[in-house]
Amino acid sequence: MSASHISNKASLSYRDAGVDIDAGDALVDRIKPFAKRTMRPEVLGGIGGFGALFELSKKFKEPVLVSGTDGVGTKLKLAFQLDKHDTVGQDLVAMSVNDILVQGAEPLFFLDYFACGKLDVDTAADVVKGIAQGCELAGCALIGGETAEMPGMYPAGEYDLAGFAVGAVEKADIIDGSRIVPGDVVLGLASSGAHSNGYSLIRKIIDVARPDLDADFHGRKLRDVVMEPTRIYVKSLLALMQAMPGVVKGMAHITGGGITENVPRILRDELTARIDASSWTLPPLFRWLQKEGNVDMQEMYRVFNCGIGMAVVVSAEDADLAAAKLEAAGETVHRIGRIDARKDGEAQTIVG
């Protein structure tokens, strides 16, 4: 091949291949102020390094690290449909920090992964701003993350999210449900909505019912109700555990699998939780979903949180004071059930 033929070829760039490095740099500049607000004294360095550095606080004597990872699920499909991207970041943080909280861990830092086909800086900045908001609510540092622009991997206007949280708990203070006994009380902390679970069914019901998402729904637009971000329970429960050491015997984050399948995760085989569904009022969103989808109530309890985002097991004598402290911290608390000895063939959680 002649040199003249080679010189006539167009000079290709990464931008020609669909990756805009300048957009990525612009996003980093946009998100630095959000991340800065979440910093903790243990963070060494700032955003932009190859690895994030975090010095474990000396307040821990025998620290055990607790980690969790999760995404937002198909709630993202609604975010794309509604062009609403400012709340899913909080969902992302909540899914992981609430999970590690149930073992007694204080969330220390969080990392995110944002992947798209073509980077829209405004959309990505909205998402990361929500992530930073979630980190502030959880008291953990947004210490780093990754933005991946991958042409051809995702449909136009769509993206995916993953989050990673790391926390610490004193080895002697790990909460694993081993101290739960018959007679203990189950407290239910109110959810803010559907959180980030059951959205494949929610989307199916919306497709079937075809509601006006901008119509009034108990004082708000339905679109805002279905996109309400997941409540983060970290600060209120950490405050309870600090004020009343040992009072919390077990916690269950009510995520995928609903009430029915999450509470058993903290129970020994010989125990069962009897949940009284009449002890709290099913919120309007869940009443609407059940009616429009003609969903069996047991299926509702298996799929959705149905208004209870976190279950907390305490002894009967501590229940009133624990509930009062949680309410003083801003939670809405219901006494939703009790722990019993499990009979042969009995399910580990019975909702009725």
Side-chain angles (χ1 to χ4, degrees):
M1 185 178 292
S2 68
S4 61
H5 182 74
I6 294 174
S7 65
N8 289 333
K9 284 188 175 181
S11 176
L12 295 177
S13 68
Y14 213 6
R15 187 191 293 266
D16 294 325
V19 178
D20 189 342
I21 296 174
D22 292 334
D25 292 342
L27 176 61
V28 172
D29 288 338
R30 287 271 291 275
I31 66 178
K32 278 183 178 178
F34 309 147
K36 187 176 181 180
R37 290 202 301 270
T38 72
M39 288 298 105
R40 294 172 53 118
E42 304 96 328
V43 177
L44 307 179
I47 299 291
F50 286 98
L53 303 175
F54 191 95
E55 182 179 29
L56 201 56
S57 171
K58 301 297 190 295
K59 73 178 183 180
F60 292 104
K61 296 178 177 63
E62 289 187 288
V64 173
L65 296 180
V66 185
S67 58
T69 183
D70 210 336
V72 179
T74 59
K75 190 173 187 176
L76 286 181
K77 297 293 283 186
L78 274 182
F80 307 149
Q81 179 183 331
L82 302 175
D83 193 26
K84 183 173 175 58
H85 309 281
D86 58 340
T87 57
V88 291
Q90 181 175 324
D91 287 308
L92 183 69
V93 175
M95 287 295 97
S96 288
V97 297
N98 284 341
D99 273 358
I100 66 174
L101 171 68
V102 303
Q103 290 172 287
E106 173 188 348
L108 300 176
F109 59 85
F110 187 86
L111 299 98
D112 68 277
Y113 176 80
F114 179 99
C116 59
K118 181 174 177 55
L119 181 61
D120 182 306
V121 174
D122 289 338
T123 295
D126 275 350
V127 172
V128 178
K129 187 176 181 180
I131 293 172
Q133 170 69 12
C135 287
E136 287 189 70
L137 292 170
C140 65
L142 177 55
I143 200 172
E146 169 70 7
T147 302
E149 189 175 22
M150 299 182 287
M153 285 288 288
Y154 298 93
E158 296 195 2
Y159 54 84
D160 199 9
L161 289 173
F164 313 86
V166 174
V169 59
E170 289 287 2
K171 189 173 184 179
D173 297 335
I174 294 172
I175 297 173
D176 58 8
S178 61
R179 296 186 295 118
I180 297 174
V181 295
D184 285 344
V185 168
V186 184
L187 300 177
L189 276 57
S191 65
S192 56
H195 287 183
S196 298
N197 301 105
Y199 273 82
S200 294
L201 180 53
I202 290 174
R203 289 168 46 241
K204 181 68 173 178
I205 292 170
I206 288 174
D207 286 345
V208 170
R210 303 182 70 83
D212 178 358
L213 292 171
D214 288 313
D216 176 77
F217 186 84
H218 299 268
R220 300 174 66 196
K221 291 181 179 180
L222 181 56
R223 67 167 60 229
D224 294 331
V225 174
V226 296
M227 291 301 294
E228 179 70 23
T230 306
R231 186 167 180 82
I232 292 175
Y233 300 97
V234 171
K235 291 184 178 179
S236 57
L237 279 166
L238 286 180
L240 173 65
M241 290 183 279
Q242 184 174 11
M244 300 177 67
V247 69
V248 176
K249 295 185 173 188
M251 290 180 277
H253 183 201
I254 309 303
T255 57
I259 297 172
T260 309
E261 296 189 8
N262 280 290
V263 175
R265 297 168 67 179
I266 59 169
L267 298 177
R268 300 194 309 278
D269 287 346
E270 64 268 24
L271 299 174
T272 190
R274 298 188 185 279
I275 307 298
D276 179 5
S278 68
S279 60
W280 78 96
T281 301
L282 195 68
L285 173 62
F286 298 105
R287 295 201 301 270
W288 182 84
L289 291 168
Q290 193 277 327
K291 177 176 179 291
E292 295 298 328
N294 192 30
V295 184
D296 181 82
M297 277 310 303
Q298 289 304 314
E299 179 74 357
M300 291 288 293
Y301 298 131
R302 284 185 69 233
V303 175
F304 301 118
N305 66 60
C306 291
I308 301 297
M310 182 75 75
V312 182
V313 180
V314 299
S315 65
E317 56 266 30
D318 290 330
D320 288 344
L321 183 54
K325 287 192 176 295
L326 287 167
E327 287 173 347
E331 302 296 345
T332 300
V333 185
H334 307 278
R335 188 184 287 226
I336 63 170
R338 71 179 189 276
I339 304 298
D340 283 344
R342 185 183 180 192
K343 299 174 183 176
D344 287 343
E346 193 171 45
Q348 277 206 287
T349 296
I350 300 167
V351 188

